[in-house]
Amino acid sequence: MPTPPPGVTTLAEMTVKLDFEECLKDSPRFRASIELVEAEVSELETRLEKLLKLGTGLLESGRHYLATGRAFIAGICDLAHLGPPEPMMAECLDKFTESLNHKLDSHAELLDATQNTLQQQIQSLVKEGLRGFREARRDFWRGAESLEAALTHNAEVPRRRTQEAEEAVSALKAARAGYRGRALDYALQVNVIEDKRKFDIMEFVLRLVEAQATHFQQGHEELSQLAQYRKELGAQLHQLVLNSAREKRDMEQRHVLLKQKELGGEEPEPSLREGPGGAVMEGHLFKRASNAFKTWSRRWFTIQSNQLVYQKKYKDPVTVVVDDLRLCTVKLCPDSERRFCFEVVSPSKSCLLQADSERLLQLWVSAVQSSIATAFSQADLENSPQSSGQGSGHPAMGSATTMGCGGVTKGRERGGGGHVAAQVQSVDGNAQCCDCREPAPEWASINLGVTLCIQCSGIHRSLGVHFSKVRSLTLDSWEPELVKLMCELGNVMINQIYEARVEAMAVKKPGPTCSRQEKEAWIHAKYVEKKFLTKLPEIRGRRGGQGTARGYPPLPPKPSMKPQLGRFRSKPEAPSDSLESLHPGALLFRAAGPPPSLPTMADALAHGADVNWVNGSRENATPLIQATAANSLLACEFLLQNGANVNQADSHGRGPLHHATILGHTGLACLFLKRGADLGSQDSEGKDPLTIAMETANADIVTLLRLAKMREAEVAQGQAGDETYLDIFRDFSLMASDDPEKLTRRNHDLHTL
């Protein structure tokens, strides 16, 4: 058998086997083979022990990887439970952690299989197979030494010592027999360990390959199950990036607007928030202590549950200043050493408070007075309807082009706000909050036409006025046309638009007891993301019209006002089946009349219709001009509340006020003047609204326009003026809402005006 070069023997080259015949001869070839085998086995033992040590290190590092991986999963789970629940993110993190857990479990099974294979194959080979070899080798070399000693002794015995020679021969025979037996056992052990080494190592490798194949097969199956979800997640992530960019743009715009508005550094107005019994107002005030030092402290005051309370920090207990507002009164303190002071007086004590400015002082005094009035009259107002024209307040007009809110129902007057709330809440569905179903909502979104609870109204405010304009049903001023608009729309109608797909999507609507985060997520998805809208293939029905919209209940027809057409005439509405292919802007224009359909208009706006869309085929008329031609006060009010430009003109240079004047729609002319219509704008013929009114001999509109021009001149000169024009505007507003037929008068003799 050839001897390999020293230092290059490998385990794969160990093919030495001992011949039993050579073993009996004890030839030099046998002894050389023995030495070679012993060297190879020694090298094999060294490498196997090294492999066991490396395997132990592999198992330790693998278990450390598993522990670190499971800690990483725990960190992801902690991240998933931070903040309000996000369904898409929660599902993504759950699926990822579940998949990673499965991979780690599979990896743990691979490590266990590797450990078992090392113990059963390699460690068994080292401890059992090589141990038998070492014992056989020890016995062999002992027998070889005994034989060598017997041979030497036998050779040294003199010829004359016959007895000693016989004993030496006998000893030699015994030593040779023992050596040969041990040599045969050694040769057998060498040949056996050679074969055992081969199949043990191969079996070890095969088991490792099978364990790794199982591990990677499980990983492949796990990833295959997630293939479709990964595609869906990619699409969702893309949409999320687009929505995030859109939200970022909206926030930047709101930031710029708020920054421009608030750069004056003035104290913000007291805010409104929810409370156990429904908060009215809250904000900072200075309070004078009742001790001998009369020190002043700044505290956070809140009007809630018919009480006036304050606290220093948010988590501090609430201190009640007035236990029952019905037992107290509020008065200004002009003689106080400090400015902007007022006093809340009750039978048991009084509390001197100080605001930061005159404006905040008036707001707080008005809020306390309103809360006192509401506490007294709320129960009676809910059961006894009153006329909407009882408000007696006279708000001032802000500018020459923005006429003040004449003809308003004042929520701050005793009985006025309760009447508006009762009237609006009496509409079907309005007795509960539109978004969370909280009973007796006292807030409203005037551009959407829905009622809201205090918490949802705060969330609507945070969306910005381009989404929702929030107003109190009990504290704010209400114009008669706006009250009628609220009664014409309502929660049922608007929810049929904005929640059309809620049931199909199996989305759960938040309830009154849900957290603010849940309500905020719902409102954002409903009005900002508009997730629950359907497409626009169907014609929406209208109140008082012939068709019904997507589940709208049929309503009894109401008497409609027949417009008196002048030089501008609106074309008749096309058949309803042609509306299916209209652009949202065109649909809004078509729905503006005649006759107008408020549900269809609201649907078009929800689907992104431009409220100032221009109809090029109709002389660049806008939806507001179309509603003016239909003589619809409610449609015009709805468009104006949703951002319609009251001064946008058609191709003849005529704005809504021009058309209202031409057609003799006095109520609409009054509405446009209050909303800031430009008195001096001229059409392509160089005629302003007053000139047109004189030509059409409409005494009422001429009166309104002349009063508006007088008011414009007074404001330009810095004069406050009297309240005559306010009374007249109030009369026209109430008449336009309640008795529009009285505004069809014409007077050809205008020289007395």
Side-chain angles (χ1 to χ4, degrees), residues 80-98:
H81 293 90
L82 177 65
E86 293 284 346
M88 184 177 71
M89 181 175 291
E91 182 184 10
C92 174
L93 295 179
D94 288 343
K95 285 185 177 294
F96 173 74
T97 53
E98 181 181 1

Side-chain angles (χ1 to χ4, degrees), residues 483-502:
V483 176
K484 294 197 70 170
L485 177 64
M486 289 293 301
C487 295
E488 188 73 14
L489 294 171
N491 297 353
V492 173
M493 178 190 299
I494 299 303
N495 279 343
Q496 286 175 347
I497 296 173
Y498 284 90
E499 298 180 4
R501 297 175 59 233
V502 167

